[in-house]
Amino acid sequence: MEESSAEVPDSSTQDDVPPLAVKDINVLLERERSEGTSSPSRDDDSTLLNPGTHSSILEDNTKSESGLPEGRSKSCGLCFSDGKCRIDYILVYRKSSSQSEKREIFERNIRAEGLQMEKEASVTNSDVIFLKLHAPWDVLCRYAELMNIRMPFRRKIFYMHRRHKFMSRMEKRINKFRGWLPRKPMKFDNDTLPDLEENESFTAPFSRSRIHHFIIHNKETFFNNATRSRIVHHILQRVKYEEGKNKMGLNRLLSNNSYEAAFPLHEGRYHSKNSIRTHGAENHRHLLYECWAWWGVWYKYQPLDLIRRYFGEKIGLYFAWLGWYTGMLFPAALVGLFVFLYGLFTLEHCQVSKEICQATDIIMCPICDQYCPYLRLSDSCIYAKVTHLFDNGATVFFAVFMAVWATVFLEFWKRRRAVLAYDWDLIDWEEEEEEIRPQFEAKYSKKERMNPISGKPEPYQAFTDKYSRLVVSTSGIFFMILVVIAAVFGIVIYRVITVSTFAAFGWALIRNNSQVATTGTAVCINFCVIMLLNVLYEKVALLLTNLEQPRTESEWDNSFTLKMFLFQFVNLNSSTFYIAFFLGRFTGRPGAYLRLINRWKLEECHPSGCLIDLCMQMGIIMVLKQTWNNFMELGYPLIQNWWTRRRLRREHGQKAKAGFPQWERDYNLQPMNAYGLFDEYLEMILQFGFTTIFVAAFPLAPLLALLNNIIEIRLDAYKFVTQWRRPLPSQAKDIGIWYGILEGIGILSVITNAFVIAVTSDFIPRLVYAYKYGPCAGQGRAGEGCMMGYVNASLSVFQVNDFEKRSQPRTTGSELIGEAVKYCRYRDYREPPDSAEPYSYTLQFWHVLAARLAFIIVFEHMVFAIKTLIAYLIPDLPKDLRDRMRREKYLIQEMMYEAELERLQKERNEKKKKKDRAHHKEWP
């Protein structure tokens, strides 16, 4: 399965290949056998087979595969030139590099560890050399034991609980009924996926002394490709390249450009001319493409065991989490859609929107200085109806539901992760003691102290130095947050200025919808600013993290992750927070407006409320950001790989790439980004925040997230399988620091949704009016009939003669009512101009304010209590998993005991036979 038939084209295909203007250097270094592993490695032509002899791969169009050298035809797959030794790892370097001495020592020490090597030059660039590495059986066994790699040693015996006869009969009837139903379309055929034996076997840490206990059908396939690559990488990280302490490791050689790239090979091509249903999969990469990365299977479950086998547990856990998050979005999206449809179906019965649409005699005050005209309240009829779609009686229920949903999602993910950790043998896995980062070592090499774990001296960072760097880094974080606030302030000034500009615009469509046009353009400009600042934040986060000098790579990753999340979260949500909680709250009143720098009047909410602005902000930002992220994730690698293929076709002919060996094709793919899965997690975590934090204002956010994630899973799968080099398989027990960030977002979402309902929406003012001031006051009920007169009660009266000179509108409003407007209305609870205290707050204002504060306190405490109760009631480990773990531990002990007894019995029988044989020879 490792070497597919698509790797070596047949002669009929080769006949059509045009000539290549490339020299077949065919640099093959003779692999050292066990008796000759001490010869040095060199980068010059003295290590080549037939050095100095160069011949083209294909001389003319009629040359067939039979004309190729035997070594090349065999090396086009996944093995050395002998066609037997599997390639476990590839190192790439340039002969023109100045680090040849370090490479020479490094490669000599690689052979001393027992790895076999073979060199071959690139068919497109003679300066590029591929170093192929193979780990023999004894090396794999030795390091598998050192690394405590768990391997299968006995087939699992599935334990079935005893059932009552009644339950057994019920199960038979249910299964019979299921047989009449169509087969589940989301599941794969069992015949399609390979038999992943380690998932159906008990496993134990590998031991050479007990090798007879393990299931070894074939030594070549006992350690799968991912495990072999991980073992070879483990060796390379501990091989020295210079004499001296800590001068070791492949990562250091990659950072100083001794090697240009290092990667395990993909298992052949990902596509085939033959159907997978009729001919089967040629390799695991082909199977992953057909069952996972192909767009035609977007509705099917992910083959997580196969993903884990090919890419490792860390990437497998990411896709498991992404799939779990996407699946949990289904109920949230359905409830959000129900809230939206409820608003749609009750639109005709909404008393508030009816009154707004019928209020042709209510004249609203201008929303900006001079250029904005007087408006009828009925002109905002459409916006009032749109607001009702999101702000209706089901909004509070949906906010509570989403807070509970976030808790259920995290709690059940812990259970799902525990099941995966059990199935993937990660329950007892512990991370190895990490190596010190080279930068930390170079900075603090003069001062050492004893490592309490390894007992070896290591560089030490003083307490004062560490915390002084943390203070500087924290100051940098706060400074960048101030930059975000400054950017938001710039957007606010833009909104204030352009609302007047659009009000005086020549185009009637813009002039009549000046506030919506201002909001729409401000959101688009805000999105552009967000994307530009994200580039700056990445560089600043990198600078601040390096300034802190973390000791290990995991500490560096956690520090960088926290900074990048904080920067991008504030950058993405700062404008949304402004619109939700500050827009229209501190504008003052007509005749006494608050101004920026005593010049610009602060922006007011739309006559139908501020929620429409918040909905526009969330909808536009969410759609644009997800579209941009998807383009950058897949479009950018596709364009780069397309350009590489175009260059190769232009230089070497249309079908040249078909004859390239696997390492050449993988080298031409894009490497996985420098931060690993960071970008993938960050995108989804920010989306989770957008889906939960302001969901009360935009119930369709979970639906948009669901649609995006269905596409995102296949985009990421396609990218990993087809566009990226194969990443190094690595292990992990969970999603790391991201889980803590998700919990923090869940807590923040409760607070923000409480404030959105209480402050941004009109839910509380309507409730107060219905129970205290409306027709049903004192009756203990609040239906649509109780909202009659609400619009008039929520608007205050202003006398136009009291306008400031710079706020005086240029029109008198005579075009609306046939005479000059004397009084206009505005959204607030203030006394009329002819009262004893004109324009002072009314009693209704204080009632609404008290009700808002009370709602925030009650809502938060109630939701937090529900979240805590749910988290307490849902155990982290499912009961059946706990029982399986206990039973497996018991069975493993029994099996190991029985196997040891069997071995001792066999030894005793052999000794007895020898003794009987010797005793028999004593007689003539």
Side-chain angles (χ1 to χ4, degrees), residues 552-568:
T552 62
E553 287 295 336
S554 64
E555 291 177 7
W556 190 97
D557 289 341
N558 289 341
S559 178
F560 179 77
T561 297
L562 199 57
K563 290 180 182 62
M564 278 296 292
F565 168 75
L566 190 59
F567 286 157
Q568 295 212 20

Side-chain angles (χ1 to χ4, degrees), residues 478-494:
F478 280 110
F479 175 76
M480 293 309 298
I481 292 176
L482 292 176
V483 171
V484 177
I485 296 174
V488 174
F489 185 74
I491 297 294
V492 171
I493 293 178
Y494 167 83

Side-chain angles (χ1 to χ4, degrees), residues 675-875:
Y675 307 126
L677 292 169
F678 169 80
D679 289 335
E680 276 70 25
Y681 272 118
L682 180 63
E683 179 189 353
M684 289 295 103
I685 299 299
L686 291 175
Q687 185 207 80
F688 178 81
F690 233 69
T691 304
T692 55
I693 290 178
F694 294 104
V695 75
F698 192 56
L700 293 180
L703 180 62
L704 293 179
L706 173 63
L707 297 176
N708 174 79
N709 286 8
I710 291 174
I711 299 173
E712 180 74 23
I713 290 176
R714 305 304 159 181
L715 276 180
D716 285 348
Y718 185 82
K719 179 175 59 180
F720 270 93
V721 173
T722 69
Q723 301 301 309
W724 278 0
R725 296 174 191 163
R726 186 177 184 177
L728 176 72
S730 54
Q731 289 185 306
K733 291 181 69 172
D734 50 35
I735 61 175
I737 194 174
W738 296 110
Y739 185 84
I741 292 174
L742 287 170
E743 286 188 321
I745 291 175
I747 294 172
L748 180 62
S749 68
V750 177
I751 300 171
T752 54
N753 282 307
F755 275 89
V756 166
I757 295 171
V759 177
T760 310
S761 76
D762 288 338
F763 175 76
I764 298 299
R766 293 176 186 177
L767 210 61
V768 171
Y769 177 81
Y771 283 101
K772 184 68 178 176
Y773 297 95
C776 304
Q779 299 180 15
R781 61 188 182 90
E784 287 296 332
C786 300
M787 297 304 297
M788 293 180 63
Y790 167 76
V791 172
N792 186 61
S794 64
L795 297 175
S796 300
V797 180
F798 178 74
Q799 189 173 357
V800 297
N801 293 333
D802 295 336
F803 267 124
E804 299 171 293
K805 186 177 181 180
R806 53 182 168 180
S807 298
Q808 190 73 35
R810 295 191 175 187
T811 62
T812 61
S814 58
E815 69 277 5
L816 297 177
I817 58 175
E819 60 180 354
V821 175
K822 296 180 180 179
Y823 296 95
C824 63
R825 310 293 292 272
Y826 61 98
R827 283 174 58 90
D828 210 341
Y829 298 100
R830 292 181 182 270
E831 297 288 350
D834 55 353
S835 65
E837 296 182 4
Y839 305 122
S840 61
Y841 288 117
T842 63
L843 183 62
Q844 188 174 356
F845 169 82
W846 300 110
H847 283 163
V848 170
L849 179 62
R852 282 172 167 165
L853 295 176
F855 175 83
I856 291 172
I857 295 172
V858 172
F859 182 88
E860 288 181 357
H861 282 70
M862 180 188 71
V863 174
F864 279 131
I866 295 174
K867 285 168 67 72
T868 305
L869 179 64
I870 290 175
Y872 173 77
L873 293 177
I874 301 176

Side-chain angles (χ1 to χ4, degrees), residues 1 57 354 417 504 517 531-532 600 836:
M1 184 168 285
I57 299 177
K354 278 182 183 179
R417 186 207 62 82
M531 302 312 296
L532 290 174
W600 294 302

Side-chain angles (χ1 to χ4, degrees), residues 447-465:
K447 190 173 183 179
E448 294 183 342
R449 86 172 174 181
M450 197 69 67
N451 186 312
I453 298 175
S454 64
K456 298 178 181 178
E458 66 177 19
Y460 170 67
Q461 184 181 15
F463 177 84
T464 54
D465 180 79

Side-chain angles (χ1 to χ4, degrees), residues 882-906:
R882 190 182 296 112
D883 294 340
R884 284 164 60 193
M885 290 170 60
R886 290 173 179 171
R887 178 163 180 78
E888 180 171 332
K889 186 176 180 181
Y890 167 77
L891 290 176
I892 288 175
Q893 292 175 348
E894 290 291 320
M895 290 175 186
M896 298 294 283
Y897 177 71
E898 290 174 4
E900 197 64 26
L901 283 180
E902 185 179 343
R903 185 181 64 83
L904 292 174
Q905 185 68 30
K906 188 180 294 184

